[in-house]
């Protein structure tokens, strides 16, 4: 496991604030899990980008993943393997950040993410 701390960009933080207000889900980690899974479900590889983690939102992997840490990490590894990427620590950490931030962007841009029911509908549609 290579990601010990999860840090977000200011843009991602602002998007999560909006998602918290829309959905009524008050915990960053829960929304971030939804975002990671949303991005992992997207068939395309997230575009390479330099993500500046300059916000005040930071959590440990344990807080981010909760009881689902092993499953989430395995899903990321499978995705990297399927995308033809390496499974080294640096690649996994980079892909995690890219998927997390892309997923947050997907959630904020999808009108179905306006409440918990919409998030469930979104998950079932994938």
């Amino acid at each position: 496991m290579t990601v010990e701390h999860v840090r977000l960009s200011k843009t991602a933080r602002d998007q999560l604030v909006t998602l918290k207000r829309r959905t009524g889900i008050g915990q960053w980690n829960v929304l971030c899990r939804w975002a990671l899974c949303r991005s992992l479900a997207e068939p395309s590889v997230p575009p390479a980008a330099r993500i500046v983690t300059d916000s005040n939102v930071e959590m440990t992997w344990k807080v981010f993943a909760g009881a689902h840490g092993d499953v989430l990490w395995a899903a990321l590894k499978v995705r990297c393997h399927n995308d033809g990427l390496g499974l080294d620590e640096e690649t996994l950490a980079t892909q995690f950040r890219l998927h997390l931030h892309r997923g947050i962007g997907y959630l904020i841009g999808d009108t179905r993410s306006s409440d918990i029911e919409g998030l469930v509908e979104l998950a079932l549609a994938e």
Side-chain angles (χ1 to χ4, degrees), residues 39 42-51 79 83 85 94-103 106:
S39 180
E42 175 66 31
S44 66
V45 177
R50 183 172 178 272
I51 297 172
R79 177 59 194 263
D83 289 343
L85 301 171
T94 298
Q95 289 300 303
F96 170 75
R97 283 189 300 277
L98 291 173
H99 276 288
L100 176 59
H101 282 80
R102 177 173 81 167
Y106 281 170

Side-chain angles (χ1 to χ4, degrees), residues 26-75:
Q27 294 80 22
W28 303 107
N29 60 330
V30 173
L31 289 168
C32 285
R33 280 184 226 146
W34 278 97
L36 176 64
C37 291
R38 173 60 186 93
S39 180
L40 289 173
E42 175 66 31
S44 66
V45 177
R50 183 172 178 272
I51 297 172
V52 179
T53 54
D54 54 354
S55 78
N56 62 348
V57 178
E58 179 179 344
M59 64 194 95
T60 64
W61 173 262
K62 186 175 180 178
V63 169
F64 167 82
H68 312 288
D70 291 341
V71 173
L72 292 171
W73 194 249

